[in-house]
Amino acid sequence: MFCQKCGKELSDDAQFCQFCGVNLKNVPGTKDLKIMFLLWLFLGGFGAHRFYLGNIRQGVMFLILNLIATFWYGITSGFAPEIMFLGYIFLFVVLLIDLVTIFNEKADKL
């Protein structure tokens, strides 16, 4: 593990950096994965989890995908009810891939 302030290598169980003294458990700028997961679970289609992580561009992408899925649902519900959920199914698959990507990125940093 490395100190996020000074960049020096530390032991994996260290709570403080022995070089600069920073508290490794409460480093500003780190995001809680539990909160991110709850945002993903309840507001993922709106990109709330990406806004929380500071990825504004990707959060806007999820908002646009949600609008496209809603638009698709509105267009196809009148004449093709069997395909009207395809937009939401696509959005759900993209959200699952995004969740796995986020956890892989966080696991690489640990």
Side-chain angles (χ1 to χ4, degrees), residues 29-67:
T30 57
K31 303 294 182 173
D32 187 11
L33 283 180
K34 293 175 191 171
I35 294 173
M36 187 279 312
F37 178 73
L38 289 173
L39 287 171
W40 175 87
L41 186 64
F42 294 110
L43 299 170
F46 299 105
H49 63 293
R50 282 299 184 172
F51 288 118
Y52 174 73
L53 293 174
N55 301 328
I56 306 300
R57 197 175 287 166
Q58 291 176 348
V60 170
M61 179 199 69
F62 279 107
L63 277 173
I64 292 170
L65 278 175
N66 196 340
L67 288 174

Side-chain angles (χ1 to χ4, degrees), residues 78-99:
F79 64 90
E82 62 274 356
I83 63 168
M84 67 183 184
F85 292 109
L86 285 180
Y88 289 119
I89 292 170
F90 176 75
L91 179 63
F92 180 71
V93 169
V94 171
L95 280 169
L96 284 177
I97 293 169
D98 187 49
L99 183 67

Side-chain angles (χ1 to χ4, degrees), residues 4 23-33 52-53 106:
Q4 293 183 354
N23 184 353
L24 299 172
K25 299 298 178 191
N26 296 323
V27 177
T30 57
K31 303 294 182 173
D32 187 11
L33 283 180
Y52 174 73
L53 293 174
K106 296 294 181 184

